Amino acid sequence: MRVVLGEDLALLRDGLIRLLTAHDFDVVEAVDSGPALLEALVQHKPDVAVVDVRLPPTFTDEGLKAAIEARKQVPGLPILVLSQYVEQLYARELLSDRAGGVGYLLKDRVSEVSQFVDAVRRVAAGGTAMDPDVISQLLARRERDEPLGSLTPREREVLSLMAEGRSNAAIAARMFVTEKAVSKHTNNIFSKLMLPPSEDDNRRVLAVLAYLNDMNG
């Protein structure tokens, strides 16, 4: 699986290269600036890009801008964003085109190697990997508003786990309930959010996240 990495901190960049290589990823190029990242993404068209939000020259949102521009030139290019903090604007912008695999993880998650590797693979496969802290903040921001506010605590928990990219089976195992119970909660969530149910887990998650994105826009 071919990866392009965008990270300006040399120590972290080297660590990510070693980690990804150890798990059978092929890091075709690792760059340290926004312009170099855009060029690498368009040139290599990797299976997935792992991108730091803040890259030179501005150290603001250079990495994300490069990734979004690359997705315009390479539609559906899977992007996994790494950030030091929960920055809701970036999460919304990443989801705005609703195309291809997307992920948003805090850099602290990299230390949880198995979860990080799973997130990279999930995004490369066209799925979604959203950091639990990002999801909780997106949910909390509008928790009193309708129709999100109409969700029960159990439904909110299911929605949060769905947004992390978990399957019904994984949610059931996490919550110690049956898959049938999770399916019932899921149907209730889509009904309350006025989103059509779907058998495609990735599309379901993207639909929910896109809905949260619209509410926070």
Side-chain angles (χ1 to χ4, degrees):
M1 190 176 295
R2 298 164 63 253
V3 181
V4 165
L5 174 64
E7 170 59 55
D8 66 298
L9 295 177
L11 188 60
L12 180 55
R13 186 172 65 249
D14 183 62
L16 286 170
I17 292 172
R18 291 174 182 272
L19 188 158
L20 291 166
T21 301
H23 288 82
D24 300 322
F25 292 96
D26 177 17
V27 181
V28 294
E29 190 167 354
V31 299
D32 62 0
S33 72
L37 176 62
L38 176 58
E39 182 178 349
L41 292 177
V42 174
Q43 177 185 344
H44 294 290
K45 298 179 176 62
D47 298 305
V48 62
V50 179
V51 178
D52 186 359
V53 168
R54 299 184 177 187
L55 291 176
T58 66
F59 289 101
T60 54
D61 55 1
E62 205 73 20
L64 183 67
K65 285 182 176 178
I68 291 173
E69 177 58 32
R71 278 167 71 100
K72 292 178 182 178
Q73 298 186 41
V74 186
L77 177 66
I79 302 290
L80 175 60
V81 168
L82 299 179
S83 180
Q84 195 70 40
Y85 310 101
V86 178
E87 301 175 85
Q88 295 186 27
L89 175 62
Y90 298 145
R92 295 199 305 271
E93 190 167 357
L94 181 65
L95 293 163
S96 64
D97 64 6
R98 309 186 188 191
V102 292
Y104 186 114
L105 297 182
L106 297 182
K107 286 188 174 182
D108 289 347
R109 304 295 176 191
V110 176
S111 63
E112 301 170 9
V113 175
S114 62
Q115 293 184 32
F116 173 69
V117 170
D118 178 65
V120 177
R121 295 189 189 282
R122 191 185 307 152
V123 171
T128 305
M130 297 296 288
D131 194 288
D133 287 346
V134 176
I135 296 304
S136 65
Q137 289 204 23
L138 287 173
L139 289 171
R141 183 170 176 177
R142 306 289 279 209
E143 63 182 353
R144 297 181 180 179
D145 291 1
E146 297 292 344
L148 194 61
S150 66
L151 299 183
T152 66
R154 208 64 164 159
E155 289 164 356
R156 291 172 64 83
E157 185 178 0
V158 170
L159 176 60
S160 178
L161 293 171
M162 283 174 56
E164 290 178 32
R166 299 179 187 271
S167 65
N168 278 5
I171 294 173
R174 178 71 174 268
M175 296 178 63
F176 302 104
V177 298
T178 64
E179 284 191 55
K180 184 176 180 180
V182 172
S183 179
K184 181 178 179 181
H185 288 313
T186 299
N187 289 334
N188 288 341
I189 290 168
F190 277 104
S191 176
K192 291 180 179 181
L193 300 186
M194 295 174 286
L195 293 168
S198 169
E199 294 303 318
D200 186 325
D201 284 338
N202 293 334
R203 290 172 62 187
R204 273 193 324 182
V205 173
L206 286 173
V208 172
L209 291 173
Y211 176 82
L212 294 174
N213 166 55
D214 290 342
M215 288 189 67
N216 284 276

